[in-house]
Amino acid sequence: MTTRVGVVTFPGSLDDRDAARAVKLAGAEPVALWHGDKDLHQVDAVILPGGFSYGDYLRCGAIARFSPVMETIIAGAHDGLPVLGICNGFQVLCESHLLPGALTRNDHLHFVCRDQRLRVENTTTAWTGDFAPAAEITIPLKNGEGGYVADEATLDELEAEGRVVFRYLDVNPNGSRRDIAGITNAAGNVVGLMPHPEHAVEALTGPTTDGLPFFTSVLKKLVA
């Protein structure tokens, strides 16, 4: 039976088709999910893609968080549904309180677009099992509001529980606290990160293929 991975499209999503292609390359069936539809259509996992949902009005992800589809996704995530939020999707996960903290304007106040080196800090999540521990990878990054912030107690808790999943290497591109590029919830089924693994799945178009293990990881997790 083919694993089905839903990819949500909000008004303003840019990378939904890229995420769907990455899912297909990994060997799963991508399923298009519409923001206004509560039905997840029997998917086994969900990706919230990058873009500018609802034009980033109010705050990035603040309106998308109240989309009908998110009501179902939030309930599913609490029941163990694997959910990956990429860039704007990470912002939506924080606004939904599925992940702690928030994403704020880059500290240099400029949009950044670069191939970014990361270290994989946690390989026990649903989305990182195919990485080697402490692997160093390179995937594209593009954001204007990518600075991860949280209070010191929350940051200490994330560190102590091993919930920092990715950390920026060489340069911190947006002022994220403690060089945090991605985090997970306590259960390990919900992961959010600012860089874009879906843009690093084919040698022809990406700087590497380092993004592909994100999508193969969840397939193996679901099969297991």
Side-chain angles (χ1 to χ4, degrees):
M1 185 174 177
T2 303
T3 301
R4 292 162 54 85
V5 179
V7 180
V8 179
T9 298
F10 300 103
S13 293
L14 297 179
D15 301 306
D16 45 348
R17 292 188 180 184
D18 302 78
R21 181 172 177 80
V23 166
K24 188 173 183 179
L25 286 171
E29 177 188 351
V31 178
L33 300 177
W34 185 241
H35 68 102
D37 184 2
K38 289 185 178 182
D39 189 353
L40 298 186
H41 302 282
Q42 293 81 50
V43 298
D44 303 296
V46 170
I47 296 172
L48 304 180
F52 303 90
S53 60
Y54 295 89
D56 282 349
Y57 292 119
L58 299 183
R59 292 183 309 277
C60 301
I63 300 177
R65 174 261 181 273
F66 292 102
S67 293
V69 75
M70 286 305 300
E71 181 180 332
T72 314
I73 290 171
I74 291 168
H78 287 309
D79 288 336
L81 177 73
V83 181
L84 176 66
I86 303 168
C87 196
N88 187 226
F90 187 10
Q91 295 162 341
V92 175
L93 290 177
C94 289
E95 289 286 342
S96 303
H97 305 297
L98 288 174
L99 294 175
L103 285 306
T104 62
R105 185 73 176 159
N106 295 349
D107 60 350
H108 46 73
L109 303 182
H110 294 284
F111 188 90
V112 60
C113 184
R114 66 191 310 272
D115 294 335
Q116 178 67 47
R117 291 187 69 235
L118 306 173
R119 183 170 58 246
V120 182
E121 303 278 31
N122 182 335
T123 59
T124 66
T125 79
W127 300 92
T128 56
D130 263 2
F131 288 105
E136 296 184 2
I137 65 175
T138 300
I139 61 177
L141 171 80
K142 49 177 185 172
N143 64 70
E145 290 85 14
Y148 180 74
V149 297
D151 61 77
E152 289 298 320
T154 298
L155 293 170
D156 289 343
E157 181 179 326
L158 290 172
E159 300 276 15
E161 296 180 359
R163 290 169 54 194
V164 175
V165 183
F166 303 97
R167 214 179 296 268
Y168 295 116
L169 293 179
D170 299 337
V171 61
N172 184 325
N174 45 36
S176 291
R177 299 296 305 277
R178 305 192 190 182
D179 299 327
I180 291 173
I183 60 173
T184 183
N185 66 341
N189 61 303
V190 179
V191 171
L193 78 161
M194 286 310 295
H196 287 261
E198 78 280 15
H199 295 326
V201 293
E202 295 178 283
L204 178 63
T205 56
T208 65
T209 57
D210 290 346
L212 196 57
F214 283 83
F215 307 98
T216 57
S217 292
V218 75
L219 265 64
K220 291 182 180 179
K221 178 72 173 179
L222 290 166
V223 169

